[in-house]
Amino acid sequence: WAKALGTTDPAVAITQTPTSDDTKPVVYWPWVVYQSRSVNDPNAPWQLMTYDMRDGTVTAVDSTTQNQQDAVIYKQHVVWQDFRDAGWGEIYRKDLLTGKIQRITNSTHGQYSPALFEHWVVWSDNRNGQLDLYGYHLRRSVEVQLTNTPENETRPYGNGQWVIYEEDSSGHLTSNLRMLHLSNL
């Protein structure tokens, strides 16, 4: 469901499908992107769907038949973790206006929890034996290792030149928040 805050307009159903589970919506006007899969098959892959709030059309973000999950959206760009390739997930991006799809990562190790803001895609990556943060600068088409510590860094969130993330330097199952300035790391 969606509701225009500050108005008396009624809430609008984004999905009404008794045959699918629809979850984890993310919103950037006019799009809602969410994960969907059949309720009849518990092994069915999660697929990302886009709902256009202007006209109510629903389309698949990508036609792959593997799991697509943890989408984030910024302006017309969507990034997500995708399992079509070998390994534990890669990060992909789609421009909803042009339809262009881009593979951001290329590693057999797992890439998780993407964040997207301005011209950065940031994710957790286990290619070094624990989770570090990596980023991809969309304008420069360059991947950058953002952290290199013995602890795990996870669940990045970005705003402007800052990345906020969880890290476990105080021990397993103990999370702290850290901030990282992208211009000087």
Side-chain angles (χ1 to χ4, degrees), residues 4 12 18 22 35 41 46 77 99 103 109 138 140 146 165 176:
V12 176
D22 302 318
Q35 290 178 199
D41 181 1
W46 287 105
H77 302 281
R103 183 176 177 181
H109 297 88
L138 293 168
R140 294 185 299 207
L146 301 175
Y165 59 93
N176 298 301

Side-chain angles (χ1 to χ4, degrees), residues 58 66 69 98-99 124 141 151 180:
V58 176
Q66 302 300 314
Q69 55 196 46
T98 67
S124 294
S141 299
E151 62 264 5
L180 174 73

Side-chain angles (χ1 to χ4, degrees), residues 77-80 91-95 100-102 104 138:
H77 302 281
V78 178
V79 296
W80 68 94
I91 305 300
Y92 276 77
R93 175 179 76 104
K94 180 176 184 176
D95 184 319
K100 180 182 176 190
I101 296 173
Q102 176 186 9
I104 300 292
L138 293 168

Side-chain angles (χ1 to χ4, degrees), residues 106-118:
N106 187 8
S107 171
T108 57
H109 297 88
Q111 288 82 40
Y112 312 97
S113 305
L116 173 65
F117 51 100
E118 295 181 14

